[in-house]
């Protein structure tokens, strides 16, 4: 065999390696510069209300991971008030910087004047830290490192001053748009701060909607809500997997639920529906999304069908302008 023929496999391997490296660089650039700020509104219809109830529009936001300089995200959030939801639910991880509270409050703007519920997540209590990405592939993540404490008390006070209700370990009944709602939430299960028994009550049959809140959708918490006949549980935390593969979906969930439930609506048990938001942000130390656009979700809750029918349906609706720039 000639010398040039002997060299051909080596040249082919090198060319293939260069092509793969180039594709990886392009993919990373797209994930960090384009998709990370390609905010979208997801619309989902879920039949969970008691028969005869009028539709209820719930805006579900989660995982803002806000820093003061994220102007594009802040502007996009302000535009959501034009949706005029009946109820706003925030499932935590609002902060990513010790001076981000004003940015969060100003970004939510008019939404804070609407009926709202919230629970907090780990990144409301502690700042983000650099992590080895391989750790997310391990099942055992019991040993966690926390960043600097964040001013969650200030954020909580600001939310409550504007009229939102802290649902953490409480049970509340109230009416919104003609629908009687029983709502309860737990503190972040990812930090093992959940104390479901502290809620102290279970919803009765007289309400139109039984609504549960948790930041991380851990099965132990979802099972408790399901056992108490909650109609719908809202959660965040997973970022939808943050990096998804076409035809495969989320690589990890960073919690105990399976990959198929990393974002969107699903069934949990016999009668409880679960909605997991893919969220609007990322850690400053992992600023990339792939096949998983940052999102807020407008849930249209309707009466349960008497004879079956579709469990839910969804579509993505771009809201505002998402430019391929670093914010």
């Amino acid at each position: 065999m000639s010398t040039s023929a002997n060299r051909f496999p080596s040249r082919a391997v090198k060319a293939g390696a260069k092509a793969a490296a180039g594709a990886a660089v392009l993919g990373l650039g797209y994930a960090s510069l384009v998709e990370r700020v390609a905010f979208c509104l997801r619309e989902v219809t879920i039949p969970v209300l008691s028969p005869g109830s009028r539709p209820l529009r719930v805006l579900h936001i989660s995982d803002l991971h806000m820093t003061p300089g994220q102007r594009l995200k802040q502007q996009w959030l302000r535009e959501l008030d034009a949706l005029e939801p009946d109820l706003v639910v925030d499932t935590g991880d609002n902060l990513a910087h010790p001076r981000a509270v004003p940015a969060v409050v100003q970004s939510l703007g008019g939404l804070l004047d609407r009926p709202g519920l919230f629970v907090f997540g780990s990144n409301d209590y502690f700042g983000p830290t650099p992590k080895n990405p391989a750790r997310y592939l391990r099942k055992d993540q019991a040993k966690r490192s926390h960043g600097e404490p964040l001013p969650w008390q200030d954020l909580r006070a600001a939310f409550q001053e504007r009229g939102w209700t802290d649902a953490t370990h409480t049970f509340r009944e109230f009416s919104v748009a003609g629908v009687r709602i029983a709502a309860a939430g737990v503190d972040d299960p990812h930090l093992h701060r959940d104390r479901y028994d502290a809620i102290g009550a279970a919803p009765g049959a007289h309400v139109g909607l039984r609504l549960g809140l948790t930041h991380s959708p851990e099965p132990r918490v979802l099972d408790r809500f399901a056992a108490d006949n909650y109609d719908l549980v809202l959660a965040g935390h997973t970022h939808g997997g943050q990096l998804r593969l076409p035809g495969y979906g989320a690589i990890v969930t960073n919690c105990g639920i399976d990959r198929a439930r990393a974002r969107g609506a699903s069934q949990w048990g016999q009668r409880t529906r679960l909605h997991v938001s893919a969220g609007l942000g990322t850690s400053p130390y992992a600023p990339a999304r792939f096949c998983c656009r940052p999102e807020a979700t407008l849930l249209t809750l309707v009466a349960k069908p008497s004879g079956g029918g579709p469990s839910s349906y969804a579509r993505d609706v771009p809201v505002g302008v998402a430019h391929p720039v670093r914010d």
Side-chain angles (χ1 to χ4, degrees):
M1 185 176 293
S2 68
T3 302
S4 61
N6 286 334
R7 291 176 179 171
F8 178 75
S10 177
R11 291 199 301 268
V13 169
K14 289 180 180 178
K18 289 181 179 179
V25 170
L26 288 174
L28 181 59
Y30 166 79
S32 60
L33 298 177
V34 179
E35 187 165 332
R36 180 176 64 90
V37 291
F39 306 110
C40 75
L41 177 72
R42 178 165 294 192
E43 292 189 343
V44 181
T45 299
I46 309 178
V48 290
L49 302 182
S50 60
S53 298
R54 54 148 286 178
L56 185 72
R57 289 158 47 90
V58 178
L59 180 65
H60 183 191
I61 57 177
S62 195
D63 297 86
L64 307 185
H65 293 282
M66 187 70 76
T67 63
Q70 292 177 324
R71 306 299 182 193
L72 182 61
K73 185 193 298 181
Q74 293 161 20
Q75 178 58 40
W76 192 87
L77 272 167
R78 280 191 283 270
E79 295 174 5
L80 293 178
D81 185 51
L83 298 171
E84 299 184 346
D86 300 312
L87 176 68
V88 184
V89 175
D90 181 327
T91 49
D93 272 11
N94 296 278
L95 305 175
H97 192 280
R99 294 192 297 275
V101 170
V104 171
V105 174
Q106 292 167 16
S107 300
L108 293 176
L111 292 175
L112 289 169
D113 295 324
R114 302 184 183 278
L117 300 167
F118 67 93
V119 292
F120 283 154
S122 58
N123 285 137
D124 292 304
Y125 299 118
F126 302 103
T129 59
K131 295 182 177 68
N132 180 353
R135 73 184 291 273
Y136 291 103
L137 301 175
R138 299 196 304 265
K139 293 288 186 182
D140 182 12
Q141 297 187 36
K143 188 176 181 180
R144 298 187 178 95
S145 60
H146 298 308
E148 61 181 322
L150 294 178
W152 63 270
Q153 298 98 327
D154 294 343
L155 185 63
R156 181 177 186 267
F159 281 177
Q160 290 182 315
E161 183 179 349
R162 294 289 294 273
W164 279 14
T165 298
D166 184 354
T168 306
H169 299 152
T170 64
F171 178 86
R172 303 290 178 90
E173 282 195 20
F174 56 97
S175 294
V176 171
V179 177
R180 189 68 179 169
I181 301 172
V186 296
D187 209 344
D188 188 13
H190 190 62
L191 293 181
H192 298 280
R193 295 171 69 117
D194 53 299
R195 302 290 183 269
Y196 188 90
D197 290 337
I199 293 173
H206 64 285
V207 297
L209 173 67
R210 304 163 188 85
L211 180 63
L213 279 68
T214 178
H215 175 64
S216 179
E218 295 294 345
R220 69 175 183 275
V221 174
L222 301 179
D223 287 345
R224 295 294 300 272
F225 279 122
D228 282 339
N229 293 319
Y230 278 79
D231 301 298
L232 176 64
V233 179
L234 302 184
H237 177 71
T238 65
H239 296 189
Q242 191 164 324
L243 304 177
R244 299 172 67 94
L245 298 178
Y248 184 79
I251 300 172
V252 296
T253 65
N254 195 26
C255 64
I257 62 169
D258 54 281
R259 294 185 303 103
R261 303 176 197 268
R263 70 177 182 187
S266 62
Q267 188 83 20
W268 192 270
Q270 295 246 329
R271 69 179 310 278
T272 300
R273 304 294 172 89
L274 169 67
H275 182 265
V276 178
S277 171
L280 281 162
T282 67
S283 166
Y285 298 104
R289 281 178 176 257
F290 190 76
C291 293
C292 190
R293 292 175 64 180
E295 68 179 34
T297 310
L298 184 63
L299 303 169
T300 299
L301 308 184
V302 298
K304 301 171 190 174
S306 56
S311 60
S312 65
Y313 58 88
R315 67 188 183 107
D316 290 345
V317 182
V319 173
V321 179
H323 297 290
V325 296
R326 184 181 298 278
D327 66 336

